[in-house]
Amino acid sequence: MKNRKSKYETFREKIKIILYGTNTILGRMFDLVLLGLILLSVLLIMLDTVEGISQKYHEQLLICEWAITVFFTIEYILRIISIQKPIKYIFSFYGIIDLLAVLPMYLSIFFPGASILSIVRALRFFRLFKILHIPQISHQSAQLKDAIEASKEKILVFIYFVLISTVIIGSVMYLVEGKESGFTSIPMGIYWTIVTLTTVGYGDISPQSPLGQFIAALVMILGYGIIAVPTGIVTAEFAKNTLKNNTVSGKKTCRKCQSQLHFDNAKYCYECGTQLPNN
Amino acid sequence: MKNRKSKYETFREKIKIILYGTNTILGRMFDLVLLGLILLSVLLIMLDTVEGISQKYHEQLLICEWAITVFFTIEYILRIISIQKPIKYIFSFYGIIDLLAVLPMYLSIFFPGASILSIVRALRFFRLFKILHIPQISHQSAQLKDAIEASKEKILVFIYFVLISTVIIGSVMYLVEGKESGFTSIPMGIYWTIVTLTTVGYGDISPQSPLGQFIAALVMILGYGIIAVPTGIVTAEFAKNTLKNNTVSGKKTCRKCQSQLHFDNAKYCYECGTQLPNN
Amino acid sequence: MKNRKSKYETFREKIKIILYGTNTILGRMFDLVLLGLILLSVLLIMLDTVEGISQKYHEQLLICEWAITVFFTIEYILRIISIQKPIKYIFSFYGIIDLLAVLPMYLSIFFPGASILSIVRALRFFRLFKILHIPQISHQSAQLKDAIEASKEKILVFIYFVLISTVIIGSVMYLVEGKESGFTSIPMGIYWTIVTLTTVGYGDISPQSPLGQFIAALVMILGYGIIAVPTGIVTAEFAKNTLKNNTVSGKKTCRKCQSQLHFDNAKYCYECGTQLPNN
Amino acid sequence: MKNRKSKYETFREKIKIILYGTNTILGRMFDLVLLGLILLSVLLIMLDTVEGISQKYHEQLLICEWAITVFFTIEYILRIISIQKPIKYIFSFYGIIDLLAVLPMYLSIFFPGASILSIVRALRFFRLFKILHIPQISHQSAQLKDAIEASKEKILVFIYFVLISTVIIGSVMYLVEGKESGFTSIPMGIYWTIVTLTTVGYGDISPQSPLGQFIAALVMILGYGIIAVPTGIVTAEFAKNTLKNNTVSGKKTCRKCQSQLHFDNAKYCYECGTQLPNN
C-alpha cells in the first residue's frame, strides 16, 4: 500500500514540475505548448464571430474549442491535485482565471452563446512573464508597475476634476446645441465632451451651431493643456526612477561617521568605508 | 431668557459641528449623506433630459429634485445661521456654489426649463476633498495645482501663438478648399484648424482637394510637434517638484560653518549640526 | 528756415515716441488702440466671409475695413518718416508685416477678392509682446523659444524618418485597400497615413478590408510609440532649462583654488570665496 | 597588358570615389544628382497612381521611370564592380535596398503592375545622412536611436499588456453593441478598441447604445492615462541622455586619492589631477 501511495506521490511530483516548473526542459516545453494553445483558442473564438468564417467552419471551430477546453480542464484539475495547498491556488489570480477559462464552454451546454465568454482565456497570456522568466523583462515590467503605481493617486485626483468638468461642459453643449445636432441628452453631451477632451473625436456627434463650435474649440484647447497633465505625472515618475541611481537623495547615513552625502546606489561610505545600510 | 438664548446657541453650535465639522461621527455622516444627495441629484437631472426616461418618469423625477432642492435650501440657510461670519461664507467659492445649486429650481417656477441649470450642483463635488480630508490626497492635489500654476504662463504664451497660427491656417484653408468641402467661412476654417491641430479630428469637415489635403498634412505634422510643447512644459514642472527634495540646489548655507552643499530638504548642517534656515 | 525744420524735427520726434515708445502714457495708449483695431479688423474680415452676415452687412463691413486700412497706411508712412533708419524698418519682420497688412486692400481695387488677404493682419498681434513689455512673459517666451530651438534639429531628423515611413505605409495601404475604400492613389494613402499616425483620424478615408484594418491597427500602435518621440525631445529640453539653475554641471572653475564643484548659478567659490566667472 | 589592366584599375578607382566618396566635389555632386533622381522617381510612381494624371501622361511617366531604372541599374552594377568586397555590399542594408529599387521594374515586364513596388526606392532616402555627413545631424540621429533603443523593451512589455486589454475590451463591446453598430465580430471590436485607445477615433464604427457609450467613455479615460506611459518612457530616456553629462553618478573613482564625487564627463580628478578611467 505504501508503495502505491509513493507511486502516486512520484506522479504528483512529476506533474507539479511539468505544470509549475520553468527550469526543466519538460516544464518549459509544456509552458510553450500551453501558450500556443491559449493563442490558438483565442484566435478560434475570435474567428467564430466573423460571419463569413462562422457560417462555413462553425462545426470544425466548435470541435477545436471543445478539445482545447477539455485539455484546459484536465490541466486545471491536475494543477489542483499536484500542488500542496490547492485552496491557495484556486483563489489566486491565476487560479480564478484558469477556472474562468473553462467554465463558459460548459455553461454553453445549458445557455447557448455563453461559449463566447471563453475569450477571458486571453488573460492567461499574463502567465507569459512567469514562463519566460527573463529577469530583464520582469525588471522592466516592475519598473513600469512602480511608475504607474506611484502616479495612480495623482491621476485619480486629476480624473475626478476632469469628470466634474465634463458634466458642466456636457450640459452647456446640450443646452447650446440641442437635439438636432445629436446632443439628445446631458449624458450624450458628457459622452461628446469625453470624446473631445481625450482628442479621440469620432465625429458621430459634432456641434453644428457657431456658438457650439466656438465652445467646442475652447474645450479642445483646454484638452490640449489637460492631456499634458497625466503625461507629466507619469513622466516625472519614470524620470525619477531612471535618475534614481545617479542621484544623491540623502537617504543614506553612515553609521560610523554619520556622513550623509552618499549616492543612492552606494554600498560603502566614501569617508570611512563602512558598509552602508540598504533602504 | 438667558437660558433660552443659550439653548439657541447650543443648537447653533451643534448645527455648525454637523455642517462644517469633519471630525465628529455625526459631521462625517452628514457629509457622506450630502455627497450621496449631490450625486443622486446630478443623476436625476441628467436622466430627466433622456427622452425615453423623461416621458415616463418626469413627475417622479421632479418630485425628487424638489425634495433635494428643499433639503439643500435648508442646509444653505442653516450654514448661514450657524457660522460666525455669514457674509464671508456667502461670498466664498463654496457659498456661491451652494446658492447656485438651489436657485435654478426656484427660478423654474417662473421660467420653465431653468431647472436644468441645477446641473451646476456638480460643482459641489469639489467639497469631497474637504470632506475626505485625506492628507495624502490633498497633498497630491496641491502638487497638481502647483505644477499647473507654474506652467500656466508658459502655456498661455504658447496658446497665444497657436491662436494666431490658426487664424492664418484657417484663412488659407478657406481660400484653398472653398464652400464645397465645408469650409464655408474663415471662422469655420479656424474651427477646422483647431480640430486638426489638437488631433481631435471629427471629420465633419475635411479637405477634398489635393492641395487642401497637402496643407492639411503639413498642419498635422506641425501639430505633432506642437502637442509636445504643453506636455513638455507641464512635465518639466512635475519633474522639478518630484526631484526637488532630492537635489542640492545650493540655496542653503550654514550660518556657522558656511558650508553650502546641503540638500534642499535638509534641516541640519551635515558638517556641524547647526539648524539650517528654511527657504 | 531752421526754425521750421526744427518744428518738423520736434513733430517727428513726437510721432516716434507715440509709435515706437512703450514708456510714455501716450505711446502705451496708442499701442492699445492699435491692438484693438487689429483685433476689430481681423474679426471684420472673418465675419465678411460668413454668408449670412456678408449678405446683410457687406457694405458696412467694407467701409470699416477701408477706414482701418487708411489708418494703418498713415501709421505705416509715419513709422517710415519718424524713424532714423527707415530702410532697416521696412525690411524688418514687423515692417514687412505692416506693409502686407495694408497692401491687399489696395490690390482689391484692381483684383476684387484680394481684400481677404488682409487676414495677414493677424500677424501684427505678435507685436503684443513688445507692447506689453512684461519681463516675466518675455522671459517665458524666450524659454519656450530656447527649448523649441534646441529640439528643432532632433525633431527634423525624426520627421524625415516619419515621412519616409509614410510613403511606404501609404503605398502598402493603396495596394491592400484599393479605390473602393477611398485609397484612390499613393498620395491619398500617404495622406491617410499622416492622418492616422498623428492620431487625428478624420474617418473620411478608413480601411474596409480585414487586412487593411489589421495593418491600420499596427500603424496606430506604431503611432502610439512615435508620438512619444517629439514629446520626449521637447520635454527633455524643458527639463534641462528648468533644472539648470539647480545642477552642478562642472562648467565653472575657480581661478584661485581651481575647485570645480560649483553650482551653475553660483557667484562665489565655496572654497575660497573668489568671484566665479560667468559662462 | 599590364598597362591596360592598370587603366581598368584607375577607372574602377575613379568610379568608387564618385559612387562611395563624399569628400570630392565629383562624389558629392553625384550624390546630390542621385538624391534628386530618387525624389523624382518616387514622385513619378506616386503620380502614376493618380487617375487623372495616369490617363493623360502614363506613357511619358513610364519612359521616365524606365530611364531612371536603367540609370539605377548601371549604378548598382558599377557599385558591385568598383568595390573590393562586392559580397559584403550586396548583402548590406543599402545593397539590398539598391537591388529592390530596380527589380520591380524588370519584373513588371512579366507581371504587369509590379512596377508600383518600385516605391521601395523611398528607402534609398536613408542614404541622405551618409551623403550630407553633417556631424551634428548624425549625432542627433544617434541620440534619437539611443533613446528609442533604450526604451524599446519597456514599450514592448507595455504594448503586450495593452494588446491583451484590447482583446477583452473588444469582446465586451462586441457583446454589448452587436452587429447593428458596426461591431460585426470580435476582431472588429478589437480594431475599434485600438482606434479608440490610441485616440485616432475614425468614427467609422462608434457605439450607439447608452451602455456601449458608457464603456467607450471609460476606455477613452483609460486611454488618457495609457497614452502617458510610452511618452513617459521615451522622455525619461531623453532626459537621461540630455542630463548625463551634467550629473555626478559616482561611477568614477580616482585611482590615486580614491575620491568619488566626479562628474560623468570628467577626465581628471579634481582633487589630485590624476587621469580618471573611462567608463
Side-chain angles (χ1 to χ4, degrees):
Chain A
M1 200 65 177
K2 191 195 160 198
N3 196 22
R4 215 182 145 196
K5 174 107 195 194
S6 163
K7 238 180 184 171
Y8 173 69
E9 269 309 307
T10 321
F11 170 74
R12 243 185 73 180
E13 204 65 19
K14 234 179 192 163
I15 292 292
K16 196 188 159 191
I17 287 167
I18 293 170
L19 290 179
Y20 291 96
T22 52
N23 298 322
T24 62
I25 297 167
L26 220 66
R28 257 196 121 96
M29 258 179 63
F30 174 78
D31 286 334
L32 288 175
V33 168
L34 193 64
L35 264 190
L37 278 178
I38 297 168
L39 187 60
L40 183 70
S41 166
V42 167
L43 285 176
L44 289 177
I45 299 164
M46 277 188 197
L47 289 177
D48 204 13
T49 66
V50 180
E51 214 158 301
I53 296 167
S54 180
Q55 280 170 339
K56 275 196 200 153
Y57 305 105
H58 182 65
E59 300 243 323
Q60 290 91 319
L61 290 170
L62 203 69
I63 292 165
C64 289
E65 282 177 44
W66 268 112
I68 294 173
T69 305
V70 168
F71 180 89
F72 283 177
T73 313
I74 295 169
E75 182 216 340
Y76 181 66
I77 293 166
L78 286 178
R79 272 185 195 272
I80 294 174
I81 291 172
S82 67
I83 212 166
Q84 257 85 25
K85 298 178 180 171
I87 299 297
K88 205 183 152 190
Y89 162 70
I90 290 168
F91 292 100
S92 73
F93 175 69
Y94 287 118
I96 290 164
I97 285 171
D98 289 354
L99 182 61
L100 286 176
V102 295
L103 261 191
M105 213 56 195
Y106 294 108
L107 281 173
S108 75
I109 299 169
F110 310 104
F111 311 99
S115 65
I116 212 170
L117 298 174
S118 303
I119 199 79
V120 289
R121 285 173 189 174
L123 292 174
R124 296 197 77 187
F125 278 123
F126 284 126
R127 199 163 275 182
L128 179 67
F129 295 108
K130 248 193 181 167
I131 292 168
L132 290 176
H133 201 63
I134 300 165
Q136 211 169 5
I137 279 183
S138 60
H139 174 68
Q140 301 283 9
S141 71
Q143 269 199 320
L144 262 174
K145 215 178 139 194
D146 277 7
I148 292 167
E149 200 81 7
S151 38
K152 210 177 58 186
E153 260 171 35
K154 274 205 207 82
I155 285 181
L156 281 180
V157 170
F158 170 73
I159 284 177
Y160 184 78
F161 278 102
V162 169
L163 281 183
I164 296 175
S165 310
T166 59
V167 172
I168 304 296
I169 297 170
S171 307
V172 168
M173 288 304 284
Y174 166 71
L175 290 174
V176 167
E177 282 289 324
K179 314 215 165 179
E180 296 78 35
S181 318
F183 292 80
T184 52
S185 64
I186 290 184
M188 208 65 167
I190 295 172
Y191 169 69
W192 172 87
T193 311
I194 293 174
V195 167
T196 301
L197 268 185
T198 55
T199 78
V200 170
Y202 287 132
D204 50 351
I205 317 164
S206 64
Q208 303 298 330
S209 73
L211 182 58
Q213 291 178 332
F214 180 72
I215 297 170
L218 288 185
V219 171
M220 283 172 227
I221 290 170
L222 183 73
Y224 222 48
I226 274 180
I227 210 162
V229 175
T231 309
I233 295 167
V234 175
T235 305
E237 288 303 327
F238 271 113
K240 207 168 113 185
N241 276 343
T242 310
L243 299 172
K244 201 159 65 181
N245 294 325
N246 297 357
T247 51
V248 181
S249 71
K251 282 176 193 147
K252 287 192 171 173
T253 311
C254 176
R255 278 168 301 180
K256 202 175 162 196
C257 69
Q258 302 304 317
S259 66
Q260 283 187 14
L261 214 63
H262 301 290
F263 296 109
D264 288 7
N265 58 349
K267 284 178 185 150
Y268 295 96
C269 173
Y270 69 93
E271 287 282 358
C272 59
T274 314
Q275 199 161 358
L276 292 170
N278 285 318
N279 53 330
Chain B
M1 201 66 179
K2 191 194 159 199
N3 196 23
R4 214 182 145 198
K5 173 103 198 197
S6 163
K7 238 179 182 171
Y8 172 69
E9 269 309 307
T10 321
F11 170 74
R12 245 185 73 178
E13 204 64 17
K14 234 178 192 163
I15 292 293
K16 197 188 157 189
I17 287 167
I18 293 170
L19 289 178
Y20 292 97
T22 51
N23 299 321
T24 62
I25 297 167
L26 219 66
R28 257 198 119 96
M29 258 180 63
F30 174 79
D31 286 334
L32 289 175
V33 168
L34 194 65
L35 264 190
L37 278 178
I38 297 168
L39 187 60
L40 183 68
S41 166
V42 167
L43 285 176
L44 289 177
I45 300 165
M46 277 187 196
L47 289 177
D48 203 12
T49 65
V50 179
E51 215 159 300
I53 296 168
S54 180
Q55 280 170 339
K56 276 197 199 152
Y57 305 105
H58 181 65
E59 301 242 323
Q60 290 91 320
L61 290 170
L62 203 68
I63 292 165
C64 289
E65 282 177 46
W66 268 111
I68 293 172
T69 305
V70 169
F71 180 89
F72 283 177
T73 313
I74 295 167
E75 182 216 342
Y76 180 66
I77 293 166
L78 287 178
R79 272 183 196 271
I80 294 174
I81 291 172
S82 67
I83 212 165
Q84 257 84 27
K85 297 176 182 172
I87 299 295
K88 206 184 150 189
Y89 162 71
I90 289 168
F91 292 102
S92 73
F93 176 69
Y94 287 119
I96 290 164
I97 285 171
D98 289 354
L99 182 63
L100 287 175
V102 295
L103 260 192
M105 214 56 196
Y106 294 109
L107 281 173
S108 74
I109 300 170
F110 310 103
F111 312 98
S115 65
I116 212 169
L117 298 173
S118 302
I119 199 79
V120 290
R121 285 174 189 173
L123 293 174
R124 295 196 77 188
F125 278 123
F126 284 126
R127 199 163 274 182
L128 179 67
F129 296 108
K130 249 192 179 167
I131 293 167
L132 290 177
H133 201 61
I134 300 165
Q136 212 169 5
I137 280 183
S138 60
H139 174 68
Q140 301 283 8
S141 69
Q143 268 199 321
L144 262 175
K145 214 178 140 197
D146 278 7
I148 293 167
E149 200 83 5
S151 37
K152 209 177 57 185
E153 261 171 34
K154 274 205 206 81
I155 286 181
L156 281 180
V157 170
F158 169 73
I159 284 177
Y160 185 78
F161 278 104
V162 169
L163 282 183
I164 296 176
S165 310
T166 58
V167 172
I168 304 296
I169 297 169
S171 306
V172 169
M173 288 304 285
Y174 166 71
L175 290 174
V176 167
E177 282 289 324
K179 315 214 165 180
E180 296 78 36
S181 319
F183 292 79
T184 52
S185 64
I186 290 184
M188 207 66 167
I190 295 173
Y191 170 70
W192 172 87
T193 311
I194 293 175
V195 168
T196 301
L197 268 186
T198 55
T199 78
V200 171
Y202 287 133
D204 50 351
I205 317 164
S206 64
Q208 304 297 331
S209 72
L211 181 59
Q213 291 178 332
F214 179 72
I215 298 170
L218 289 185
V219 171
M220 283 172 227
I221 290 169
L222 183 73
Y224 221 48
I226 274 181
I227 211 163
V229 175
T231 310
I233 295 167
V234 176
T235 305
E237 288 303 327
F238 271 113
K240 206 167 116 186
N241 277 342
T242 309
L243 299 171
K244 200 160 64 180
N245 294 324
N246 297 357
T247 50
V248 181
S249 71
K251 282 175 194 149
K252 288 193 172 174
T253 311
C254 177
R255 278 167 302 179
K256 202 175 161 195
C257 68
Q258 303 302 320
S259 65
Q260 283 187 13
L261 215 63
H262 300 291
F263 296 110
D264 288 6
N265 58 350
K267 284 178 187 151
Y268 294 95
C269 173
Y270 70 94
E271 286 283 357
C272 59
T274 313
Q275 200 161 357
L276 292 169
N278 286 318
N279 53 331
Chain C
M1 198 68 177
K2 192 193 158 196
N3 196 24
R4 216 182 142 195
K5 174 104 197 197
S6 162
K7 238 180 181 171
Y8 173 68
E9 269 309 308
T10 320
F11 170 73
R12 246 186 72 180
E13 203 64 19
K14 235 178 191 163
I15 291 293
K16 197 188 158 189
I17 287 168
I18 292 170
L19 290 178
Y20 291 97
T22 52
N23 299 320
T24 61
I25 297 167
L26 219 67
R28 256 197 121 95
M29 258 179 64
F30 174 78
D31 286 333
L32 288 175
V33 168
L34 195 65
L35 264 189
L37 278 179
I38 296 168
L39 187 61
L40 183 68
S41 165
V42 167
L43 285 177
L44 289 178
I45 300 165
M46 277 186 195
L47 289 176
D48 202 13
T49 66
V50 180
E51 214 158 303
I53 296 168
S54 179
Q55 280 169 340
K56 277 194 197 154
Y57 305 105
H58 183 64
E59 301 243 323
Q60 291 90 322
L61 290 170
L62 203 68
I63 292 165
C64 289
E65 281 176 46
W66 268 111
I68 294 172
T69 305
V70 169
F71 180 89
F72 283 177
T73 313
I74 295 168
E75 183 216 340
Y76 181 65
I77 293 165
L78 286 178
R79 273 185 195 270
I80 293 175
I81 291 171
S82 68
I83 212 166
Q84 256 84 26
K85 297 177 181 171
I87 299 295
K88 205 183 150 189
Y89 162 70
I90 289 168
F91 292 102
S92 73
F93 176 68
Y94 286 120
I96 290 164
I97 285 171
D98 289 354
L99 181 63
L100 286 175
V102 295
L103 262 192
M105 214 56 195
Y106 295 108
L107 281 173
S108 74
I109 301 170
F110 310 103
F111 311 99
S115 66
I116 212 169
L117 298 173
S118 303
I119 199 79
V120 290
R121 285 173 189 174
L123 292 174
R124 294 196 78 187
F125 279 123
F126 284 127
R127 199 163 273 182
L128 179 66
F129 295 108
K130 248 193 180 168
I131 294 167
L132 290 177
H133 201 63
I134 301 165
Q136 212 169 5
I137 280 183
S138 60
H139 173 68
Q140 300 284 7
S141 69
Q143 269 199 321
L144 263 175
K145 215 179 140 194
D146 277 7
I148 292 168
E149 199 83 5
S151 38
K152 211 177 57 185
E153 261 171 33
K154 274 205 206 82
I155 285 181
L156 281 181
V157 170
F158 169 73
I159 284 178
Y160 185 78
F161 278 103
V162 169
L163 281 184
I164 296 176
S165 310
T166 58
V167 171
I168 304 296
I169 296 170
S171 306
V172 168
M173 288 304 284
Y174 166 71
L175 291 174
V176 167
E177 280 290 323
K179 316 215 164 178
E180 295 78 37
S181 318
F183 292 80
T184 51
S185 63
I186 290 183
M188 208 65 167
I190 294 172
Y191 170 70
W192 173 87
T193 310
I194 293 175
V195 168
T196 301
L197 268 186
T198 56
T199 78
V200 170
Y202 287 133
D204 50 350
I205 317 164
S206 64
Q208 303 298 329
S209 72
L211 182 58
Q213 290 178 332
F214 180 72
I215 297 170
L218 289 185
V219 171
M220 282 172 229
I221 291 169
L222 182 73
Y224 222 48
I226 274 182
I227 211 161
V229 176
T231 309
I233 295 167
V234 175
T235 305
E237 289 303 327
F238 271 113
K240 206 166 115 186
N241 277 342
T242 310
L243 299 171
K244 200 159 65 181
N245 294 323
N246 297 357
T247 51
V248 181
S249 70
K251 281 176 194 147
K252 288 192 172 174
T253 311
C254 177
R255 277 167 302 180
K256 202 176 161 194
C257 67
Q258 303 303 320
S259 66
Q260 283 188 11
L261 215 64
H262 301 292
F263 296 109
D264 288 6
N265 58 350
K267 283 178 187 149
Y268 295 94
C269 173
Y270 71 93
E271 287 282 358
C272 60
T274 314
Q275 200 161 357
L276 291 170
N278 286 318
N279 53 330
Chain D
M1 199 67 180
K2 190 193 162 198
N3 195 24
R4 213 180 146 197
K5 175 104 196 196
S6 161
K7 238 178 183 171
Y8 173 69
E9 268 309 307
T10 319
F11 170 73
R12 244 187 72 181
E13 203 63 19
K14 235 178 193 163
I15 292 293
K16 198 189 157 190
I17 287 167
I18 292 169
L19 290 179
Y20 291 97
T22 52
N23 299 321
T24 62
I25 297 167
L26 220 66
R28 256 196 121 95
M29 258 179 62
F30 174 78
D31 286 333
L32 288 176
V33 168
L34 194 65
L35 264 190
L37 279 178
I38 297 168
L39 187 62
L40 183 70
S41 166
V42 167
L43 285 176
L44 289 177
I45 299 164
M46 278 187 195
L47 289 177
D48 204 14
T49 65
V50 180
E51 214 159 303
I53 296 168
S54 179
Q55 280 169 338
K56 276 195 198 155
Y57 306 104
H58 182 65
E59 300 243 323
Q60 291 91 320
L61 289 170
L62 202 70
I63 291 164
C64 289
E65 281 177 45
W66 268 111
I68 294 173
T69 305
V70 168
F71 179 89
F72 282 178
T73 313
I74 294 167
E75 182 216 341
Y76 181 65
I77 293 166
L78 286 178
R79 272 185 196 270
I80 294 174
I81 290 173
S82 68
I83 211 166
Q84 257 85 25
K85 296 177 182 171
I87 298 297
K88 205 183 153 189
Y89 162 70
I90 289 167
F91 291 101
S92 73
F93 175 69
Y94 287 119
I96 290 164
I97 285 172
D98 289 354
L99 182 63
L100 286 176
V102 294
L103 261 192
M105 214 56 196
Y106 295 107
L107 282 173
S108 75
I109 301 170
F110 310 104
F111 312 99
S115 66
I116 213 169
L117 298 174
S118 303
I119 199 77
V120 289
R121 285 172 189 177
L123 293 174
R124 295 196 77 188
F125 279 122
F126 284 126
R127 198 163 275 184
L128 179 68
F129 296 108
K130 248 193 180 166
I131 292 167
L132 290 177
H133 201 62
I134 301 165
Q136 211 169 4
I137 279 183
S138 60
H139 175 67
Q140 300 284 8
S141 70
Q143 268 198 321
L144 263 175
K145 215 178 139 194
D146 278 7
I148 292 168
E149 200 82 6
S151 37
K152 210 177 59 187
E153 259 170 36
K154 274 205 206 82
I155 286 182
L156 281 180
V157 170
F158 169 72
I159 284 177
Y160 185 79
F161 277 103
V162 169
L163 281 183
I164 296 175
S165 310
T166 59
V167 172
I168 303 297
I169 297 170
S171 306
V172 169
M173 288 304 285
Y174 166 72
L175 290 173
V176 167
E177 281 289 324
K179 314 216 165 179
E180 295 79 35
S181 318
F183 293 80
T184 52
S185 63
I186 290 183
M188 207 64 166
I190 294 172
Y191 170 70
W192 173 87
T193 311
I194 293 175
V195 168
T196 302
L197 268 185
T198 55
T199 79
V200 170
Y202 287 133
D204 50 351
I205 316 164
S206 64
Q208 303 298 329
S209 72
L211 182 57
Q213 292 178 332
F214 180 71
I215 298 170
L218 289 185
V219 171
M220 282 172 228
I221 291 169
L222 183 73
Y224 222 48
I226 274 181
I227 211 163
V229 176
T231 309
I233 295 167
V234 175
T235 305
E237 289 303 327
F238 271 113
K240 206 167 115 186
N241 276 342
T242 310
L243 300 172
K244 200 159 63 180
N245 294 324
N246 297 357
T247 51
V248 181
S249 71
K251 281 175 193 149
K252 287 192 173 175
T253 311
C254 176
R255 278 167 301 179
K256 202 175 162 196
C257 68
Q258 304 303 318
S259 65
Q260 281 187 14
L261 215 63
H262 300 291
F263 297 109
D264 288 6
N265 57 349
K267 283 178 188 150
Y268 294 96
C269 174
Y270 70 94
E271 287 282 359
C272 60
T274 313
Q275 199 162 357
L276 292 170
N278 287 318
N279 53 329

